[in-house]
């Protein structure tokens, strides 16, 4: 009740006590919300009985009298607009439904009032925290809220639920089935419950620059999470993360930036989805306006009547930050930057901040803007009035460098329409601010979003998006690369730019934190080396994959001119799509020890195998008989290959030698004593032999067949020696024979440029031996399998590790097409993996011991495996 007011009557509603204000929200929507800042209060007390001389005969037990000199009235007549300020002495009487709460509420208000009267913000913050902590300490989670009496409690702690501009303190509880949050004030509901079985993703978050946040999603691709919690210490946060992660680990695989990258590169997720995942991984959240997801301006044309997505000039240059798009403005900024004392920065404002987010969202979230701007809307001319104007200002404005938000690439156009009929003021020309003015090429808000989505998924953007990722999330975000890319913001905007824990003065700490949260924050850096490009399919296959089919007239290949290569490609694709239909055709046991290598003649009639029993054997597919058995020494053979023309087999041996065996003459033709330790693998291409050895080298030999009929059939010339630190266990050449990959016994993968004999990339991938490594058919990626039971994928262009999949046991050998893996496991099963999904899709029973070697024909429909069980198995695809 407003005492002394002409219309002095009782209004029912709910009383909310916030850290710096008292808010009364009436049940009747027509009545205004009353907000009293604690600093504006003159007195807060529970009136005595004899003071109750009001016209109503109502009981003042349970009543609180608040006298203040200023009140804000919000949403009068349920209309969202600037707050109305009522100045002058006013008294409000609040009568609580539960009179027993009176003492607690008054005491709480007195404590918070005292905090609000302190001069320094730091002292205020410290006192408010102390009041809250003591209140939390006096309460605990109400176990009666559990879904089931059989639930087991795993942990309970204090935390806050984070929503835009407001955090709500309470208690978190995790059981073996559910995550609960019980707000201290029972608002918005007595308990928030999330079933652990529904959880799809969880992210640790940096909140207010501290590693205290945790966000939980029950969906795979949604922008908004189900709950965002902020803890009071990182130990609680990490323990809760561990409990939920352990639970969901059994149900789903946790995604990393790398695993999403591989899916994006191969076209399995869209540009939009990939950017959303990167934002999530870089601490951006819709619940935190200071770290809202950031999306790029894509379109640069807001004047044409038709949007032409085939013209590069339609698009913004994605290799530059917004501030560097206009050369004249950049020159002015660089001049100022050079004259500036340290710490230098190029841009005085950021590309993402709470103010910018609400600038775009004012029509759907006006109350947030009013809250952020002390109850007022921004000046009408500074509002989000038109896309063309906003883009022009981002290009020319002295301090405007903002990017976009995800809403520009989604399906809800409400943020472009003033459907709430807000009075956003009049512009200088007298025009009222209504809906956002759209470019001529958009017939309406939905059409605008549709075309923006098409632009984001267009070929131009797919070819250049990695450049923008480098600037916002990648290696051009910090350091010398950022300076070179004209991408330097104020030091406080970067993670680690300031250590709040090292600042002892609480006032300085609060001032700094406020400045950072309002100014904007740079996302967490996800990549420190150049981000790989997206793989753009050829036009023909693209037309099948994309929803907009390319007409025959545009297609570079006319339908009846389908080339032989295309048919081969189709049959290979068909084979891999059906690889789970591999059936065991026949098997035979011809060796006394494990089989280490398999080679097949061009016509497929003869199969050569090497074994740890030191023999090379030749098996006839037609007669199913063993035709030859050769022993070069008493040491194990490690691999074999057949030279073009099917005349010679080359075998590598643990006795440090490489043997040349003539098929035609049935005898050892030559021997290359090329290494100081066991030779582990050999490859051949264009008269060049590549040999890997435990002596820590890979050697490249030029092998020229001898002219005469003498015993010495080859002339060997050592062309290059690729030095490693430890034993090399496996090698592979890419399709163009320009690159070689090597894997060592200590788990390191190296990618070499064969033409210059220099290492392009070297990275520790596995713990333990690398068993096998192979380039994808398009040479974009390298897959390796190791003793640690992991598959690792490396992007060949950048050398970035972009995916890791863990198996139940080591996989000794494999074949792959870039998406699907056929691997031979330790236990003898053939496994088929969906690499992008990171899971086994089929298990085929095979050998009784580890599968040691695998051969696949060019059409990918016939496979031969050799095992520890001394068996050779022949597999065929049966559609």
């Amino acid at each position: 009740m407003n005492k002394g007011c002409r219309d002095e009557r009782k209004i029912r509603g709910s009383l909310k006590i916030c850290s710096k204000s008292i808010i009364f929200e009436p049940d009747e929507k027509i009545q205004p919300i009353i907000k009293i800042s604690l600093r504006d209060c003159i007195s807060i007390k529970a009136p005595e009985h004899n003071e109750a001389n009001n016209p109503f005969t109502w009981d003042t037990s349970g009543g609180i009298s608040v006298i203040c000199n200023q009140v804000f009235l919000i949403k009068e007549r349920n209309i969202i607009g600037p707050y109305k300020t009522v100045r002058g002495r006013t008294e409000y009487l609040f009568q609580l439904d539960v009179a027993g709460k009176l003492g607690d509420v008054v005491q709480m208000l007195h404590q918070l009032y005292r905090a609000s009267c302190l001069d320094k913000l730091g002292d205020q913050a410290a006192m408010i925290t102390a009041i809250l902590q003591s209140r939390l300490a006096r309460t605990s989670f109400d176990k009666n809220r559990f879904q089931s009496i059989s639930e087991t409690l795993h942990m309970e702690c204090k935390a806050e639920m984070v929503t835009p501009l407001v955090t709500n303190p309470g208690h978190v509880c995790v059981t073996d089935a559910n995550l609960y949050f019980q707000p201290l004030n029972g608002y918005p509901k007595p308990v928030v419950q999330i079933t652990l079985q529904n959880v799809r993703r969880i992210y640790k978050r940096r909140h207010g620059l501290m590693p205290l946040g945790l966000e939980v999603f029950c969906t795979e691709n949604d922008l908004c999470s189900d709950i965002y919690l902020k803890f009071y210490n990182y130990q609680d946060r990490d323990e809760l993360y561990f409990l939920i992660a352990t639970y969901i680990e059994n149900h789903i695989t946790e995604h990393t930036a790398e695993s999403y990258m591989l899916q994006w590169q191969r076209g399995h997720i869209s540009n939009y989805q990939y950017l959303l995942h990167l934002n999530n991984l870089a601490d951006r959240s819709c619940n935190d306006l200071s770290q809202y997801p950031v999306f790029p301006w894509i379109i640069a044309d807001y004047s044409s009547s038709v949007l032409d997505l085939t013209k590069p000039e339609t698009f913004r240059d994605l290799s530059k930050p917004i501030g560097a798009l206009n050369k004249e403005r950049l020159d002015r900024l660089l001049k100022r930057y050079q004259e500036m004392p340290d710490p230098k920065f190029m841009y005085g404002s950021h590309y993402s901040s709470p103010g910018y987010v609400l600038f775009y969202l004012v029509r759907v979230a006006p109350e947030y803007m009013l809250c952020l701007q002390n109850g007022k809307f921004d000046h009408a001319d500074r509002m989000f009035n038109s896309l063309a104007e906003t883009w022009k200002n981002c290009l020319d404005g002295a301090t405007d460098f903002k990017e976009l938000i995800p809403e520009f690439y989604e399906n809800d156009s409400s943020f472009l329409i003033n459907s709430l009929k807000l009075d956003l003021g009049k512009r200088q020309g007298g025009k009222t601010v209504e809906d956002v003015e759209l470019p001529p090429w958009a017939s309406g808000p939905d059409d605008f979003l549709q075309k923006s989505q098409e632009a984001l998924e267009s070929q131009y953007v797919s070819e250049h998006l990695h450049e923008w990722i480098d600037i916002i999330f990648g290696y051009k975000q910090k350091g010398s690369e950022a300076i070179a890319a004209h991408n330097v913001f104020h030091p406080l905007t970067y993670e680690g730019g300031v250590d709040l824990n090292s600042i002892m003065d609480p006032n300085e700490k609060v001032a700094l934190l406020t400045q950072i949260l309002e100014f904007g924050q740079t996302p967490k850096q996800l990549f420190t080396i150049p981000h790989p490009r997206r793989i753009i399919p050829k036009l023909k296959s693209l037309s099948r994959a994309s929803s907009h089919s390319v007409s025959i007239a545009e297609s570079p290949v006319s339908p009846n001119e389908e080339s032989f290569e295309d048919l081969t490609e189709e049959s290979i694709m068909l084979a891999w799509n059906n690889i789970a239909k591999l059936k065991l055709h026949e098997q035979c046991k011809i060796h006394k020890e494990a089989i280490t290598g398999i080679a097949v003649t061009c016509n497929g009639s003869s199969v050569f195998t090497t074994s740890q029993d030191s023999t090379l054997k030749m098996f006839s597919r037609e007669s199913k008989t063993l035709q030859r058995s050769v022993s070069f020494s008493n040491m194990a053979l490690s691999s074999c290959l057949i030279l073009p023309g099917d005349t010679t087999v080359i075998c590598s041996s643990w006795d440090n030698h490489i043997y040349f065996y003539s098929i035609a003459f049935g005898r050892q033709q030559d021997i290359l004593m090329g290494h100081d330790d066991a030779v582990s693998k050999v490859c051949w291409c264009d008269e060049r032999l590549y040999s890997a050895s435990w002596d820590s080298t890979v050697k490249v030999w030029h092998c020229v067949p001898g002219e005469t009929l003498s015993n010495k059939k080859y002339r060997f010339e050592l062309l290059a020696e690729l030095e490693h630190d430890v034993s090399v266990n496996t090698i592979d050449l890419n399709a163009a024979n320009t690159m070689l990959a090597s894997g060592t016994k200590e788990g390191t993968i190296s990618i070499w440029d064969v033409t210059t004999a220099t290492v392009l990339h070297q990275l520790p991938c596995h713990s333990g031996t690398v068993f096998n490594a192979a380039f994808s058919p398009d040479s974009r990626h390298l897959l390796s399998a190791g003793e640690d039971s992991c598959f690792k994928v490396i992007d060949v262009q950048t050398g970035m590790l972009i995916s890791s999949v863990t198996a139940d046991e080591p996989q000794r050998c494999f074949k792959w097409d870039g998406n699907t893996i056929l691997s031979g496991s330790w236990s003898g099963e053939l496994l088929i993996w969906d690499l992008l999904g990171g899971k086994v899709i089929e298990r085929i029973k095979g050998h009784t011991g580890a599968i040691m070697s695998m051969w696949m024909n060019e059409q990918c429909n016939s496979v031969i495996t050799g095992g520890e069980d001394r068996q050779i198995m022949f597999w065929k695809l049966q559609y």
Side-chain angles (χ1 to χ4, degrees):
M1 186 174 82
N2 186 347
K3 279 201 75 183
C5 161
R6 280 203 313 272
D7 181 25
E8 189 179 282
R9 66 194 184 94
K10 289 199 249 180
I11 299 166
R12 279 201 66 81
S14 56
L15 182 66
K16 297 173 184 179
I17 299 174
C18 304
S19 52
K20 295 184 180 179
S21 58
I22 304 169
I23 291 175
F24 177 76
E25 191 166 351
D27 291 346
E28 278 183 52
K29 292 279 182 277
I30 198 106
Q31 297 287 343
I33 294 168
I34 297 162
K35 177 174 177 173
I36 305 168
S37 172
L38 286 165
R39 289 200 79 149
D40 295 330
C41 290
I42 298 164
S43 89
I44 300 169
K45 60 183 181 178
E48 302 297 328
H49 277 280
N50 56 9
E51 279 184 37
N53 55 348
N54 54 67
F56 295 102
T57 55
W58 67 321
D59 179 13
T60 56
S61 61
I64 301 166
S65 156
V66 177
I67 301 172
C68 56
N69 54 29
Q70 179 171 275
V71 177
F72 296 105
L73 302 182
I74 302 170
K75 277 181 88 170
E76 265 194 300
R77 297 189 302 284
N78 202 26
I79 295 167
I80 300 168
Y83 299 173
K84 182 178 169 188
T85 311
V86 181
R87 293 188 174 83
R89 187 186 168 104
T90 317
E91 181 179 359
Y92 284 94
L93 261 175
F94 300 104
Q95 186 177 12
L96 306 184
D97 285 350
V98 184
K101 277 189 179 176
L102 184 69
D104 183 30
V105 173
V106 173
Q107 185 191 9
M108 176 88 153
L109 282 169
H110 281 163
Q111 289 173 337
L112 289 167
Y113 171 69
R114 282 201 298 277
S116 75
C117 293
L118 295 170
D119 289 338
K120 293 182 172 172
L121 285 172
D123 297 339
Q124 283 184 27
M127 187 166 173
I128 290 166
T129 303
I131 295 165
L132 175 59
Q133 289 302 324
S134 97
R135 194 170 172 80
L136 282 167
R138 294 198 303 273
T139 55
S140 63
F141 187 87
D142 177 7
K143 309 290 188 296
N144 294 323
R145 295 282 176 188
F146 282 178
Q147 280 289 96
S148 143
I149 49 169
S150 61
E151 277 185 73
T152 310
L153 175 70
H154 283 326
M155 93 170 266
E156 183 187 340
C157 67
K158 300 175 286 190
E160 292 174 13
M161 187 166 82
V162 178
T163 55
L165 302 180
V166 179
T167 61
N168 205 350
H171 295 275
V172 167
C173 193
V174 185
T175 68
D176 51 356
N178 294 294
L179 165 67
Y180 298 99
F181 176 74
Q182 187 171 25
L184 200 51
N185 46 32
Y187 182 84
K189 51 185 179 180
V191 71
V192 178
Q193 178 218 335
I194 287 172
T195 308
L196 293 180
Q197 216 168 344
N198 296 339
V199 174
R200 286 287 156 272
R201 298 173 288 145
I202 50 170
Y203 297 99
K204 289 180 180 178
R205 293 272 182 247
R206 191 175 44 135
H207 186 272
L209 299 202
M210 304 292 276
L212 299 172
L214 185 75
E215 195 161 20
V216 180
F217 289 79
C218 292
T219 55
E220 201 50 67
N221 288 315
D222 273 15
L223 184 60
C224 295
S225 64
D226 291 77
I227 194 166
Y228 186 147
L229 296 168
K230 176 204 163 194
F231 296 81
Y232 296 110
N233 61 65
Y234 70 87
Q235 292 92 339
D236 283 348
R237 193 275 303 265
D238 290 353
E239 188 182 343
L240 189 81
Y241 179 88
F242 175 76
L243 284 170
I244 300 178
T246 312
Y247 182 92
I248 65 175
E249 218 169 61
N250 308 323
H251 304 275
I252 55 166
T253 51
E254 192 200 348
H255 286 299
T256 57
E258 287 78 18
S259 65
Y260 286 124
M261 186 196 296
L262 184 64
Q263 292 187 51
W264 172 73
Q265 266 198 296
R266 296 246 165 227
H268 287 246
I269 58 174
S270 65
N271 291 338
Y272 168 80
Q273 286 171 313
Y274 186 46
L275 288 176
L276 207 54
H277 289 311
L278 292 184
N279 271 290
N280 256 323
L281 292 161
D283 275 343
R284 313 303 282 191
S285 164
C286 291
N287 285 311
D288 185 350
L289 294 179
S290 69
Q291 297 191 92
Y292 204 79
V294 55
F295 268 62
W297 281 97
I298 292 291
I299 299 167
D301 175 2
Y302 294 95
S303 56
S304 302
S305 54
V306 177
L307 187 69
D308 186 350
L309 296 180
T310 61
K311 288 192 335 203
E313 47 280 22
T314 299
F315 300 93
R316 162 257 179 107
D317 182 347
L318 287 162
S319 68
K320 295 175 182 171
I322 291 289
L325 291 175
N326 176 341
K327 189 172 182 313
E328 283 175 38
R329 177 177 66 175
L330 180 64
D331 290 342
R332 288 197 301 274
L333 292 167
L334 289 177
K335 188 170 183 293
R336 192 191 67 175
Y337 171 74
Q338 273 134 21
E339 293 163 357
M340 197 183 278
D342 283 340
K344 293 169 179 280
F345 53 89
M346 292 172 189
Y347 309 115
S349 66
H350 206 257
Y351 50 77
S352 171
S353 70
Y356 290 160
V357 173
L358 296 179
F359 166 85
Y360 291 126
L361 296 180
V362 65
R363 289 167 179 79
V364 284
E367 287 157 289
Y368 289 152
M369 183 179 256
L370 291 168
C371 179
L372 198 69
Q373 301 206 141
N374 300 319
K376 298 184 189 75
F377 286 126
D378 206 346
H379 188 281
D381 283 304
R382 286 198 296 271
M383 283 284 189
F384 179 32
N385 292 309
S386 132
L387 272 142
E389 268 179 42
T390 305
W391 170 244
K392 185 178 183 308
N393 209 43
C394 287
L395 286 183
D396 305 338
T399 59
D400 194 348
F401 313 109
K402 59 179 168 285
E403 290 280 7
L404 295 182
I405 55 175
E407 281 77 358
F408 280 83
Y409 303 102
E410 288 173 359
N411 299 319
D412 182 359
S413 60
S414 56
F415 75 102
L416 299 168
I417 307 161
N418 187 10
S419 54
L420 295 171
K421 298 286 175 273
L422 303 167
D423 179 2
L424 298 171
K426 285 192 173 161
R427 305 190 62 183
Q428 275 179 344
K431 196 177 173 190
T432 310
V433 176
E434 284 297 338
D435 298 349
V436 177
E437 208 175 291
L438 300 171
W441 46 257
S443 61
D446 290 341
D447 183 53
F448 169 76
L449 292 189
Q450 173 69 38
K451 289 194 165 87
S452 297
Q453 288 170 19
E454 285 169 19
L456 179 62
E457 302 305 332
S458 67
Q459 178 150 345
Y460 177 89
V461 175
S462 291
E463 285 171 359
H464 295 278
L465 190 59
H466 64 282
E467 297 171 331
W468 186 81
I469 293 169
D470 283 336
I471 289 167
I472 305 295
F473 303 104
Y475 81 112
K476 291 183 179 177
Q477 192 197 83
K478 294 179 186 171
S480 58
E481 293 288 354
I483 296 168
H486 306 129
N487 191 35
V488 183
F489 293 86
H490 194 285
L492 287 180
T493 65
Y494 295 95
E495 185 176 23
V498 60
D499 178 9
L500 285 179
N501 292 327
S502 67
I503 299 169
M504 293 340 271
D505 180 350
N507 302 303
E508 191 188 333
K509 188 183 279 192
V510 168
L512 207 55
L513 185 58
T514 308
Q515 184 186 344
I516 290 163
L517 296 185
E518 287 181 7
F519 188 85
Q521 292 175 74
T522 302
K524 185 173 163 182
Q525 191 174 21
L526 299 178
F527 311 105
T528 52
I529 58 173
H531 189 286
R533 303 162 168 270
R534 194 168 199 187
I535 297 167
I536 311 294
K538 288 179 298 199
L539 186 58
K540 237 179 99 251
S541 54
L542 184 79
S543 67
R544 276 198 300 273
S546 111
S547 53
H548 312 288
S549 59
V550 178
S551 70
I552 299 237
E554 292 174 74
S555 177
V557 181
S558 66
N560 55 358
E561 272 179 29
E562 204 137 20
S563 67
F564 178 68
E565 280 88 356
D566 287 331
L567 292 172
T568 312
E569 212 174 290
E570 296 273 331
S571 67
I572 289 171
M573 216 154 103
L574 183 69
W576 275 104
N577 286 342
N578 290 280
I579 202 80
K581 296 176 182 165
L582 271 181
K583 296 280 182 289
L584 183 60
H585 196 56
E586 56 191 288
Q587 62 192 87
C588 60
K589 192 183 279 188
I590 52 175
H591 282 282
K592 295 191 175 99
E593 294 284 340
I595 290 154
T596 55
I598 303 169
V600 182
T601 52
C602 281
N603 59 11
S605 61
S606 300
V607 178
F608 287 86
T609 53
T610 50
S611 164
Q612 287 178 1
D613 66 8
S614 79
T615 62
L616 166 72
K617 304 214 174 197
M618 175 177 161
F619 180 82
S620 165
R621 298 268 312 251
E622 288 149 8
S623 63
K624 298 184 179 37
T625 54
L626 178 65
Q627 295 193 322
R628 292 184 200 173
S629 180
V630 190
S631 193
F632 303 112
S633 74
N634 58 0
M635 298 282 276
L637 297 176
S638 56
S639 74
C640 62
L641 59 87
I642 299 178
L643 293 190
D646 289 348
T647 56
T648 308
V649 180
I650 302 180
C651 303
S652 56
S653 169
W654 284 7
D655 69 0
N656 313 357
H657 301 341
I658 297 161
Y659 296 95
F660 289 67
Y661 173 79
S662 165
I663 300 173
F665 294 107
R667 63 162 189 248
Q668 179 182 316
Q669 183 180 358
D670 215 330
I671 181 167
L672 169 58
M673 301 180 201
H675 287 277
D676 302 325
D677 204 337
V679 183
S680 50
K681 182 143 184 216
V682 284
C683 293
W684 176 276
C685 177
D686 296 340
E687 296 189 347
R688 290 189 180 190
L689 175 70
Y690 301 83
S691 58
S693 166
W694 295 356
D695 67 6
S696 310
T697 66
V698 173
K699 292 185 178 176
V700 185
W701 310 87
H702 188 205
C703 303
V704 186
E707 301 296 318
T708 63
L709 288 171
S710 68
N711 281 348
K712 204 83 175 141
K713 289 286 182 207
Y714 280 87
R715 198 172 69 249
F716 301 110
E717 182 193 344
L718 181 61
L719 297 177
E721 197 167 316
L722 312 180
E723 294 280 356
H724 296 68
D725 296 332
V726 289
S727 301
V728 183
N729 198 55
T730 185
I731 50 171
D732 186 55
L733 283 168
N734 71 338
N737 306 308
T738 52
M739 285 184 284
L740 176 138
S742 58
T744 69
K745 285 205 169 174
E746 285 185 1
T748 302
I749 294 279
S750 305
I751 299 175
W752 301 80
D753 179 342
V754 173
T755 50
T756 58
T758 52
V759 69
L760 299 171
H761 307 293
Q762 192 165 50
L763 55 166
C765 275
H766 297 273
S767 50
T769 303
V770 180
F771 286 140
N772 199 1
F775 288 96
S776 57
D778 60 9
S779 296
R780 293 292 190 100
H781 295 127
L782 178 79
L783 177 69
S784 59
E787 195 179 357
D788 55 4
S789 306
C790 287
F791 282 118
K792 304 276 178 149
V793 182
I794 295 169
D795 180 77
V796 172
Q797 178 209 353
T798 59
M800 189 185 281
L801 182 64
I802 62 169
S803 185
S804 181
V805 177
T806 308
D808 298 335
E809 55 178 350
Q811 308 294 306
R812 289 299 300 244
C813 51
F814 64 82
K815 298 290 175 190
W816 76 311
D817 71 338
N819 297 312
T820 308
I821 309 169
L822 172 69
S823 69
S825 71
W826 198 263
S827 60
E829 284 181 312
L830 275 179
L831 301 185
I832 293 149
W833 298 78
D834 165 19
L835 180 58
L836 301 164
K839 56 182 186 285
V840 176
I841 44 181
E842 192 68 55
R843 291 173 180 271
I844 304 169
K845 289 247 177 297
H847 296 260
T848 53
I851 299 178
M852 305 289 285
S853 54
M854 185 183 290
W855 172 88
M856 183 183 253
N857 67 342
E858 211 176 313
Q859 289 75 39
C860 307
N861 57 15
S862 171
V863 173
I864 303 173
T865 53
E868 218 170 22
D869 58 1
R870 314 192 290 283
Q871 295 266 13
I872 304 173
M873 293 191 171
F874 296 87
W875 306 82
K876 277 222 170 90
L877 263 191
Q878 292 180 350
Y879 299 123

